[in-house]
Amino acid sequence: MKGMTVQRLLTFYEEPIEQFMKQVGKDLMAGVAQDESLVRSAQSFVRNGAVQLVHYKPVQHEADFVVRDVQDAYVHISFYEESSCSCSGRKMCRHQAAVLFYFYQHMNSLSEWVKTWRSHADHQSIAAIQKDRTPLAWEQYASTLLNQLVMQEHASSFFLMEFALGDYKRQMQRIRPLEREWHVLFDTSVTLMTLVKLWPTFNSFSRENERGRVRYYLDETIQELKHQFKQLQQQPRFFAADPFYERIERYVRHLLTDAEGYFSQRSALYSHYWSELGTSKHAREKELAFLEAHFETKDGNSLLQVRQLFYFQLGQTDRLLKSMTKIPTDEVANYLSLIQFSLEEHQIEMATQMFERLLPAIEEYLDTDTRASRLVYTLRYIERQLDLSEESQAKFYRMLIPFTLEPFSNWLIDQERYNDWADLHLYCQSGITYAETCGLEIVKDEAPFVLLPLYHMNVMREINEKKRDSYKQAVRYMKKMKQLAKAANETVYWNHYVQEIREKFRRLRAFQQEMEKGNLSL
């Protein structure tokens, strides 16, 4: 029968449609991913006008509909019997649901029906989760919420996703156990299972500003997890929580070995776990055995440095040092992090041995990497806490010469190698002001005569500027040289030097005048 509309059909079949909708509410379970997807798709068909009445048979109480999908689906509705669909899917497919929703939206609010359906299921699932407290129950609820609130609508933009995650976290608090001793364990588990679920999405963001925001989000989250690991370690561990602790360990390992991208964040999370929470010797030995059977992650990152963390934690110094051979320059920063960690654990001797083993790679890094200057402060901070041999100290300080002379200068002073100190600054053409920051006053007291060449170089530099102010500065330096020569009892040498300078620059009248004012002769 053509010319029939849905509104007119409802005058005859409103009661059967209501019965159909009640049955749909019973058959479909909110919280089950497949059913959630079916309801979302059916809503989308109705919202986009994809459902159309094709034919009505009043005698048989039947109607045919077409649903515009990737391939058109034809739904046959018998108002007092069962319906069917050409998609040959499940008993209640998304196309049949779309037709029922199409009817229902002319009777009541479809969005309210969906909200009530989900709310009823949420109350049931929350009660079930609180009664049957298991990691799997938490995972399923978290997965459902992530699909509803985050993945479905906001997976295309991390900025939108980050906003939706706030709502997701608030919703997850509904299943948080009331007992205080469960709170940190719940928060830790939820954060980790959220990372596991979202991680593939992180790699889909290609714009650099979004990737930068993802890195910031991960760094903040990992620091929060580090704090939670420490809290869990400090609180008593009860028997009922054992499955959750085991699942946490599995999450951490999965993110390291099976996830892809953002490896520095993944390895940092893994290190924090095994440093703060996974402190059992037996557990560490078991994990090390696993790592030794797997040389790299799924995305091709080496697990060597992760194994070295366990060598350190288990006190296997020989194995640790033996593994530190042919270190690539791009891994220097990671090894320095390990050394800093050993210092935090007051393992000075082990940190010193690792640093000395790392010196060749540090030297190559400083020579070749354009970002090397950023690492100098960290290197100096670490070195001050170590007990390096004199040979290693000298080698390290020489590496820093292109960036700063201060460490090597101070070391030479400590060794009373004043001639070498003066030669270093002469070679590097240091200005007097900079040399003063490197211990010039100490050298002046101990070996004044060795400083004369350095001062002479600076005098010549000022004279060559050919300006009155520069001449005045040159004479000031010469006055200091006069004091040095007097302290070294080199009167004859000094007077001869002044005469030579006067003779050499006799054409520079302004300079000659400044020399006269300076009264430079002894």
Side-chain angles (χ1 to χ4, degrees), residues 240-252:
D242 284 348
F244 296 91
Y245 281 94
E246 292 170 6
R247 191 59 65 99
I248 285 173
E249 184 176 322
R250 285 174 53 188
Y251 292 145
V252 171

Side-chain angles (χ1 to χ4, degrees), residues 51 130 172-173 201 205 223 243 276 338 393 510:
V51 182
Q130 290 174 339
M172 283 300 296
Q173 292 299 305
T201 310
F205 302 118
Q223 284 302 310
E276 303 292 349
L338 181 59
Q393 282 183 322

Side-chain angles (χ1 to χ4, degrees), residues 252-274:
V252 171
R253 180 193 286 180
H254 170 82
L255 287 171
L256 176 72
T257 60
D258 296 329
E260 298 183 13
Y262 302 98
F263 180 67
S264 62
Q265 283 78 14
R266 287 154 50 199
S267 59
L269 172 62
Y270 187 84
S271 299
H272 291 325
Y273 171 81
W274 285 104

Side-chain angles (χ1 to χ4, degrees), residues 124-272:
Q124 289 182 329
S125 61
I126 290 171
I129 290 169
Q130 290 174 339
K131 182 179 179 181
D132 181 24
R133 192 175 294 171
T134 63
L136 182 59
W138 288 0
E139 279 184 12
Q140 289 176 339
Y141 190 77
S143 180
T144 299
L145 280 183
L146 281 170
N147 285 330
Q148 289 178 0
L149 303 177
V150 181
M151 305 294 291
Q152 190 68 22
E153 301 294 336
H154 306 296
S156 61
S157 167
F158 182 74
F159 300 105
L160 294 176
M161 177 182 288
E162 195 172 14
F163 180 78
L165 279 171
D167 189 26
Y168 158 76
K169 290 178 181 178
R170 286 189 292 272
Q171 295 279 3
M172 283 300 296
Q173 292 299 305
R174 297 161 68 188
I175 66 167
R176 195 185 198 210
L178 297 176
E179 301 91 337
R180 189 178 185 86
E181 61 269 20
W182 280 88
H183 287 181
V184 179
L185 185 60
F186 174 82
D187 294 340
T188 305
S189 299
V190 168
T191 301
L192 283 169
M193 64 179 66
T194 303
L195 285 179
V196 170
K197 177 74 174 177
L198 293 181
W199 203 279
T201 310
F202 295 154
N203 293 303
S204 67
F205 302 118
S206 57
R207 291 182 298 191
E208 185 55 36
N209 62 334
E210 282 195 305
R211 294 185 68 82
R213 186 63 195 176
V214 171
R215 283 190 289 270
Y216 177 79
Y217 167 78
L218 290 176
D219 289 340
E220 290 291 303
T221 303
I222 290 168
Q223 284 302 310
E224 178 185 344
L225 282 167
K226 179 183 178 181
H227 178 65
Q228 291 170 347
F229 291 153
K230 188 175 294 186
Q231 286 181 299
L232 288 174
Q233 175 60 27
Q234 292 171 351
Q235 72 181 32
R237 181 165 171 171
F238 42 96
F239 177 76
D242 284 348
F244 296 91
Y245 281 94
E246 292 170 6
R247 191 59 65 99
I248 285 173
E249 184 176 322
R250 285 174 53 188
Y251 292 145
V252 171
R253 180 193 286 180
H254 170 82
L255 287 171
L256 176 72
T257 60
D258 296 329
E260 298 183 13
Y262 302 98
F263 180 67
S264 62
Q265 283 78 14
R266 287 154 50 199
S267 59
L269 172 62
Y270 187 84
S271 299
H272 291 325

Side-chain angles (χ1 to χ4, degrees), residues 79-111:
F79 291 102
Y80 296 105
E81 296 180 14
E82 293 185 352
S83 59
S84 61
C85 179
S86 64
C87 73
S88 66
R90 52 192 286 190
K91 183 178 179 180
M92 173 55 66
C93 67
R94 59 185 180 177
H95 307 114
Q96 295 175 66
V99 171
L100 293 176
F101 286 1
Y102 183 55
F103 274 111
Y104 190 81
Q105 76 168 358
H106 291 88
M107 299 165 52
N108 292 294
S109 169
L110 178 59
S111 60

